[in-house]
């Protein structure tokens, strides 16, 4: 083995040791964050699922109502709305989600 190879091997072993130290630091940080997250989620109850949701789209004219969803719809993201507002929005022509069909649940079929 030449001296040059020995130096290179020592450098790689030093890098390997440093990377092992780094991964131990990352694993410790992950463990700490998971513990904090578990403690935080145990303290606060989950938010109640709304009965109805309104999905909004941002346009050049501002935020516009896009689609009404049932509260449990996995496809719908948006703010919670009351039943009366959901009925009004559907009556004004806001689209009904084709997946959860709030128009059928609210009996607003065309």
């Amino acid at each position: 083995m030449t001296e040059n190879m020995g130096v290179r091997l020592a450098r790689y072993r030093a890098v390997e040791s440093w990377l092992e130290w780094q991964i131990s630091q990352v694993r410790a940080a992950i463990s700490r964050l998971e513990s904090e997250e578990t403690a935080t989620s145990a303290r606060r109850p989950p938010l109640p699922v709304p009965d109805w949701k309104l999905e909004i789209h941002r346009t050049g004219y501002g935020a516009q109502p896009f689609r009404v969803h049932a509260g449990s719809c996995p496809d719908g993201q948006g703010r919670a709305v009351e039943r009366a507002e959901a009925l009004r929005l559907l009556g004004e022509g806001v689209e009904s989600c084709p997946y959860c069909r709030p128009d059928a649940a609210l009996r607003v079929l065309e």
Side-chain angles (χ1 to χ4, degrees):
M1 182 187 313
T2 66
E3 188 174 319
N4 191 21
M5 282 182 72
V7 170
R8 285 184 19 217
L9 182 58
R11 285 181 183 164
Y12 276 110
R13 286 201 170 127
V15 169
E16 178 185 35
S17 295
W18 183 78
L19 290 173
E20 287 171 348
W21 177 81
Q22 280 283 357
I23 196 71
S24 73
Q25 296 298 305
V26 168
R27 287 182 177 145
I30 288 170
S31 178
R32 201 170 42 252
L33 289 171
E34 286 174 341
S35 296
E36 289 174 16
E37 185 176 14
T38 301
T40 301
S41 64
R43 284 190 299 240
R44 62 177 173 216
L47 294 173
V49 176
D51 291 333
W52 311 103
K53 295 184 282 191
L54 174 61
E55 184 177 349
I56 301 286
H57 275 192
R58 309 258 179 247
T59 68
Y61 302 105
Q64 300 293 318
F66 174 65
R67 191 176 279 164
V68 177
H69 296 272
S72 60
C73 181
D75 193 39
Q77 305 228 345
R79 68 176 177 88
V81 294
E82 298 291 325
R83 183 177 196 279
E85 187 176 0
L87 285 167
R88 181 184 60 77
L89 290 163
L90 290 170
E92 291 175 357
V94 174
E95 187 177 326
S96 175
C97 173
Y99 177 74
C100 65
R101 300 293 313 269
D103 54 345
L106 291 167
R107 295 185 174 89
V108 185
L109 298 173
E110 295 177 34

